[in-house]
Amino acid sequence: MEGLLLTEELVLLAYDDNGVNRLGRPHLDYGLAGAVLLELALAGRVEVAEKRVVVTDPAPTGVPLLDEALATVGSGRPRKPQDWIGKLAKGLPDRVLGGLVDAGVLRRESDQVLLVFPRTRYPSPTGAEPTVETAARERMAAALTTDGPVDARTAALLTLTRAVGLDRKLFRELPKERVTARMDEIAAGDWASAAAKKAIEEMQAALLVATTAGTAAIITTAVS
């Protein structure tokens, strides 16, 4: 399987080798919605103007997941990235995971925690890390440990992992100061068009707001 979407790479990175989501909800949901918007921005289909996401090219991308999102964004009034993240997040994890299962990258297993609570896991069919996930990890690690230019998709994936807090789980073996400095450098670099880069910056900010609000809501529910 080649040419993974950012959504697929993010899901693979978010699930551990046992097929359990280590990122948690709603971080994964929002991160996937942000990934969809980033894909559309990189494809030149949307950009952010006056803090609102606008469709600049309604032509289909040929990817159903992206084209449905593009149609949704283009069907109503322009909204802020944060609003679209909340709207597009619904059902995304199951859809992306289902696609990876159908492609044979992951398998679906149902069991129970403590013999009571139902759980669905998504491990690799072989028990080893999928090669496409390994490739994504190596691409990201190379970007962080070198000083050369970074391609747009790798920079976007790094932006996503940072926005949802997954970077701290992925790069524990790398010096924290180096990761932070290089992430900042990549964020400031000229690795995408000005319009796409602006959109990605707005998506990152929106993801930070959305995940923070989502975490606060979960804590409030748990203690009330």
Side-chain angles (χ1 to χ4, degrees):
M1 182 175 181
E2 296 180 312
L4 292 187
L5 297 173
L6 292 173
T7 50
E8 294 167 327
E9 290 184 318
L10 185 62
V11 157
L12 290 173
L13 293 168
Y15 274 73
D16 64 20
D17 290 342
N18 292 318
V20 176
N21 176 12
R22 58 182 171 178
L23 185 56
R25 312 285 292 269
H27 290 64
L28 179 60
D29 308 60
Y30 293 153
L32 291 176
V36 168
L37 291 173
L38 291 188
E39 288 277 14
L40 292 174
L42 289 174
R45 299 303 196 274
V46 303
E47 62 182 43
V48 177
E50 298 181 354
K51 301 293 184 179
R52 299 290 191 275
V53 179
V54 296
V55 174
T56 55
D57 181 357
T61 65
V63 180
L65 183 70
L66 301 183
D67 290 340
E68 290 171 22
L70 181 61
T72 298
V73 173
S75 64
R77 60 181 176 81
R79 299 171 183 260
K80 294 179 180 179
Q82 184 182 343
D83 296 331
W84 282 122
I85 284 172
K87 187 176 181 63
L88 296 174
K90 298 175 182 177
L92 262 183
D94 289 341
R95 185 168 181 183
V96 177
L97 286 162
L100 289 169
V101 170
D102 292 342
V105 177
L106 299 176
R107 72 174 186 271
R108 185 183 289 108
E109 291 185 355
S110 297
D111 59 12
Q112 293 181 325
V113 179
L114 300 178
L115 303 179
V116 176
F117 304 103
R119 176 180 66 173
T120 302
R121 298 188 300 117
Y122 293 89
S124 164
T126 64
E129 182 176 280
T131 56
V132 286
E133 179 183 348
T134 301
R137 286 177 180 274
E138 291 176 348
R139 200 171 82 241
M140 296 166 71
L144 292 174
T145 55
T146 63
D147 296 319
V150 178
D151 68 274
R153 297 190 65 79
T154 300
L157 185 57
L158 284 166
T159 295
L160 277 171
T161 61
R162 188 183 205 182
V164 297
L166 186 58
D167 58 323
R168 295 187 293 274
K169 302 177 187 294
L170 295 176
F171 308 118
R172 288 175 178 166
E173 74 283 2
L174 299 179
K176 182 178 179 180
E177 296 76 10
R178 167 64 187 184
V179 171
T180 300
R182 182 61 172 153
M183 284 276 202
D184 291 341
E185 183 179 325
I186 290 172
D190 295 327
W191 45 265
S193 68
K197 195 163 179 296
K198 179 181 178 182
I200 289 166
E201 289 170 352
E202 294 285 349
M203 302 307 171
Q204 182 180 25
L207 277 171
L208 289 171
V209 172
T211 53
T212 300
T215 301
I218 292 173
I219 293 174
T220 299
T221 301
V223 299
S224 60

